[in-house]
Amino acid sequence: MKVLLLMALMLGSSLALGAPGIDAVTVTPGADGEQTYTLSLQVLLVMTALSMLPAALILMTSFTRIVIVLSILRQALGTAQTPSNQILIGLALFLTLFIMGPVLSEVYETALKPYLADQLSADAALDIAQVPVREFMLAQTRDDDLALFARISGREGFEQEADVPFTLLMPAFATSELKTAFQIGFLLFIPFLVIDLVVASVLMSMGMMMLSPLIISLPFKIMLFVLVDGWALVLGTLATSFYV
């Protein structure tokens, strides 16, 4: 976690200072007139940070819960690939930015901004930056999941939340998010399942065995979802679920 934050701070500092670019190759003249080319360590760190951003997005933010709930909602509606995967992922991404806005703002104000102003060292900025992220993750992590991974790792008996390492907090947070996402998805599935059962029962009583109930129930499910302003309810509930 600290390495990832350090990479993000380095990337942010290079962009904020408006530097023309980081030298990818350093030329070192030798004693015999030869030249040695060395790849800049900063470039390697920045490229590594970019490759780790998707994993950090999934394991340390609200993205997992949102995208799973939206996928289950699409399955419950029975609309196949509508909305498409690109739309669901984009919606989940921007809703994640909205939910994580206060956390990111606190990281910027307390860690990144002083670091760019040369008021904090990199280590001090890392220690300060991880505090709001840790608080957000701990607030969404169930005690049972945290105790489970603490027992597996043999590191039980933490006196305070600050003593919980990120290597233990991240899997516990991911497990809690999966559990919460499926609970919300189950509640979303119930009204659409009732419509499917009613339509299937009516068709069976009419002797229309060859007609698929999905064809008849789909417009009713879409109509119900639109009448109750479903998208606003789902997205609003997802956003508020992180701050209850």
Side-chain angles (χ1 to χ4, degrees), residues 86-141:
Q86 292 84 351
I87 294 177
L88 290 185
I89 293 176
L91 184 60
L93 178 61
F94 282 101
L95 188 59
T96 298
L97 293 177
F98 171 77
I99 295 172
M100 299 297 296
V103 178
L104 298 177
S105 298
E106 186 174 352
V107 171
Y108 175 78
E109 292 294 335
T110 60
L112 182 58
K113 189 175 180 179
Y115 172 75
L116 297 178
D118 293 330
Q119 298 175 358
L120 288 176
S121 62
D123 292 338
L126 290 175
D127 293 336
I128 297 175
Q130 68 178 335
V131 173
V133 179
R134 177 189 293 273
E135 291 178 351
F136 172 82
M137 296 175 67
L138 283 171
Q140 307 302 323
T141 303

Side-chain angles (χ1 to χ4, degrees), residues 14 59 239 244:
S14 62
L59 294 179
V244 175

Side-chain angles (χ1 to χ4, degrees), residues 11-146:
L11 179 60
S13 62
S14 62
L15 294 176
L17 294 177
I22 302 175
D23 294 334
V25 178
T26 302
V27 181
T28 304
D32 53 355
E34 297 181 352
Q35 293 180 335
T36 303
Y37 299 87
T38 305
L39 188 65
S40 174
L41 181 61
Q42 288 185 338
V43 174
L44 292 177
L45 290 176
V46 171
M47 296 303 296
T48 305
L50 294 178
S51 64
M52 293 177 65
L53 283 178
L57 176 66
I58 294 174
L59 294 179
M60 299 170 59
T61 66
S62 58
F63 182 83
T64 300
R65 182 189 305 185
I66 297 170
V67 75
I68 289 177
V69 170
L70 293 180
S71 299
I72 294 177
L73 174 62
R74 183 179 64 181
Q75 184 70 23
L77 283 171
T79 54
Q81 295 298 318
T82 304
S84 64
N85 292 331
Q86 292 84 351
I87 294 177
L88 290 185
I89 293 176
L91 184 60
L93 178 61
F94 282 101
L95 188 59
T96 298
L97 293 177
F98 171 77
I99 295 172
M100 299 297 296
V103 178
L104 298 177
S105 298
E106 186 174 352
V107 171
Y108 175 78
E109 292 294 335
T110 60
L112 182 58
K113 189 175 180 179
Y115 172 75
L116 297 178
D118 293 330
Q119 298 175 358
L120 288 176
S121 62
D123 292 338
L126 290 175
D127 293 336
I128 297 175
Q130 68 178 335
V131 173
V133 179
R134 177 189 293 273
E135 291 178 351
F136 172 82
M137 296 175 67
L138 283 171
Q140 307 302 323
T141 303
R142 289 179 168 84
D143 294 336
D144 295 340
D145 296 327
L146 198 60

Side-chain angles (χ1 to χ4, degrees), residues 199-219:
V199 171
S201 300
V202 172
L203 291 178
M204 186 175 297
S205 64
M206 296 175 62
M208 304 175 66
M209 303 296 184
M210 303 302 294
L211 181 61
S212 174
L214 294 178
I215 299 177
I216 307 301
S217 63
L218 179 58

